[in-house]
Amino acid sequence: SRPSDDVTLEQLPLREDLRGRSPYGAPQLDVPVRLNTNENPYPPPPELVADVTEAVRAVAAELHRYPDRDAVRLREDLSAYLSVSTRVPLTERNLWAANGSNEILQQILQAFGGPGRSALGFEPSYSMHPIIAAGTRTDWVPAPRRADFTLDTVRAAEIVAERAPDVVFLTSPNNPTGGSIPIEDLEAVLRAAPGIVVVDEAYAEFSSQPSAVNLLDAYPAKLIVSRTMSKAFAFAGGRLGYLAAAPAVVDALQLVRLPYHLSVLTQAAARAALAHADQTLASVAKLAAERDRVAEALRGQGFAPVPSDANFILFGRFTDAPASWKSYVDNGVLIRDVGIEGHLRVTIGTPEENDAFLRASKEVPR
Ligand code: PMP
């Protein structure tokens, strides 16, 4: 082996607080049915592929220049989409975009968290929230959900008032459990929070609950709503996340964002994809109907699916969830072990993929 292969992680002068941590890691295995990362199973339609290709071809002639640092036209398009879908008037000054909503969340913690500050989340929830907190040296404060994974918002507001975190994460619909938080309940937490409240709405398009964007005017100095094109928009590979907030929040994030973080190619491709929003989002109703069908079928098989407003379902009970997860893989179906005892999470795929999953569910050990 080459000398560089012999150097171990332990030998590196890594930050002490990062030693012994594990990276985020959904396995990327090559199996026939992949229902593990909450992607949209429908590939982009040919017209969208053609428009993205043409948009990228057009900007390729400008690749020797840096991109628009402020991504203004993309933010205009995102504000138009969000204004129409939430019926809340927004402008590009309310919008900010980055390489996936993970980068949005990281920028939020860089600006509003950091050493000596804390962020609180209600677990189980999106596992990247504490990982991004660790990366930005923000103290992570885990708070509980009810045993049925719903959020007790009265208790949540009390905990937030008591712990006074600089940042609160509320995920609605929640990943990996699927339930969303009614808007009145969000407000209870917003009132109690002394600092920033991030409502992570990665799966909002799949939910029938109104968006927290409706609360921006009432809580402009507290509320940030984070969104993504990775799920409903079927643009996970394009890497485009965004947020809606008061323009001052966008000003704050400019202090930590890397210059030219969104490439010319990303901006052009995202704008071309956004122009097809109606077509792409037509899959949302299909996926929601499939989600309800899969939940019903799981119940029929004697499983207990957790009620979901998103494009995935957490379900149990398994005696040994990691062993059952492996058995699904052996049956050609990749789902997700999210580390919740007795439970696994399945992303809703095409009807054929869901049928394959349901067939495997009859085979796996409980
Ligand atoms: N928030 C939640 C709740 C998620 O589940 C995900 C993706 N798994 C993200 C944010 C980040 O997605 P992306 O970076 O692709 O926008």
Side-chain angles (χ1 to χ4, degrees):
S1 69
R2 302 168 61 195
S4 62
D5 293 341
D6 298 333
V7 177
T8 67
L9 184 53
E10 286 66 38
Q11 293 171 304
L12 297 180
L14 184 66
R15 268 165 42 188
E16 286 307 325
D17 59 300
L18 293 179
R19 285 195 191 279
R21 288 185 180 269
S22 312
Y24 174 89
Q28 295 191 303
L29 301 180
D30 196 12
V31 295
V33 180
R34 281 181 297 174
L35 302 174
N36 71 327
T37 48
N38 299 344
E39 293 150 327
N40 189 321
Y42 295 104
E47 309 84 74
L48 188 158
V49 174
D51 284 358
V52 166
T53 307
E54 175 50 31
V56 168
R57 196 203 58 75
V59 297
E62 300 282 324
L63 276 174
H64 60 308
R65 300 291 183 195
Y66 281 114
D68 173 9
R69 211 168 40 219
D70 299 326
V72 174
R73 294 175 73 193
L74 172 59
R75 286 160 62 203
E76 282 169 2
D77 292 353
L78 289 166
S79 69
Y81 161 70
L82 204 55
S83 300
V84 168
S85 64
T86 62
R87 298 204 197 85
V88 177
L90 299 163
T91 75
E92 85 289 347
R93 296 179 61 240
N94 300 107
L95 271 285
W96 181 243
N99 295 283
S101 52
N102 281 328
E103 188 180 23
I104 290 282
L105 300 175
Q106 177 168 278
Q107 291 179 348
I108 291 170
L109 286 188
Q110 285 176 322
F112 298 106
R117 293 194 164 207
S118 63
L120 181 149
F122 298 90
E123 297 186 341
S125 190
Y126 182 41
S127 61
M128 278 305 295
H129 294 159
I131 293 176
I132 295 170
T136 58
R137 299 197 59 180
T138 310
D139 286 332
W140 180 250
V141 182
R145 288 172 172 267
R146 293 194 185 98
D148 67 0
F149 306 119
T150 57
L151 187 64
D152 178 344
T153 41
V154 174
R155 183 77 193 105
E158 285 170 7
I159 295 172
V160 165
E162 217 172 277
R163 302 298 302 262
D166 299 282
V167 179
V168 175
F169 285 102
L170 293 172
T171 314
S172 184
N174 189 46
N175 179 14
T177 58
S180 43
I181 308 169
I183 199 158
E184 315 78 65
D185 294 357
L186 284 177
E187 236 187 313
V189 180
L190 272 161
R191 275 195 299 268
I196 296 288
V197 175
V198 179
V199 182
D200 184 338
E201 289 192 350
Y203 303 95
E205 283 88 354
F206 297 102
S207 168
S208 46
Q209 286 292 333
S211 167
V213 166
N214 286 281
L215 297 171
L216 277 178
D217 273 345
Y219 301 92
K222 287 187 180 182
L223 178 60
I224 302 177
V225 182
S226 148
R227 292 267 186 137
T228 183
M229 288 179 68
S230 294
K231 312 296 178 179
F233 270 104
F235 198 69
R239 307 306 298 132
L240 204 290
Y242 57 102
L243 63 73
V249 169
V250 176
D251 293 342
L253 297 187
Q254 308 270 352
L255 301 173
V256 296
R257 60 105 179 91
L258 296 175
Y260 318 112
H261 67 302
L262 278 179
S263 83
V264 161
L265 305 173
T266 301
Q267 295 188 37
R271 294 190 67 214
L274 268 172
H276 290 266
D278 289 350
Q279 212 182 352
T280 317
L281 294 176
S283 65
V284 167
K286 267 196 284 193
L287 290 167
E290 272 295 297
R291 171 194 67 212
D292 296 343
R293 176 179 80 88
V294 171
E296 195 50 45
L298 282 172
R299 251 189 300 278
Q301 294 184 11
F303 287 103
V306 177
S308 172
D309 255 348
N311 66 333
F312 54 83
I313 301 173
L314 184 74
F315 66 108
R317 294 216 50 117
F318 297 98
T319 319
D320 181 351
S324 302
W325 175 84
K326 176 75 173 53
S327 176
Y328 273 108
V329 174
D330 294 341
N331 280 279
V333 181
L334 180 60
I335 61 171
R336 189 75 169 271
D337 177 2
V338 288
I340 300 178
E341 213 210 316
H343 291 76
L344 294 171
R345 188 195 72 192
V346 61
T347 301
I348 300 305
T350 62
E352 297 72 30
E353 290 171 328
N354 299 333
D355 286 342
F357 159 72
L358 289 169
R359 275 195 303 275
S361 298
K362 292 187 187 150
E363 308 299 325
V364 299
R366 302 273 180 106

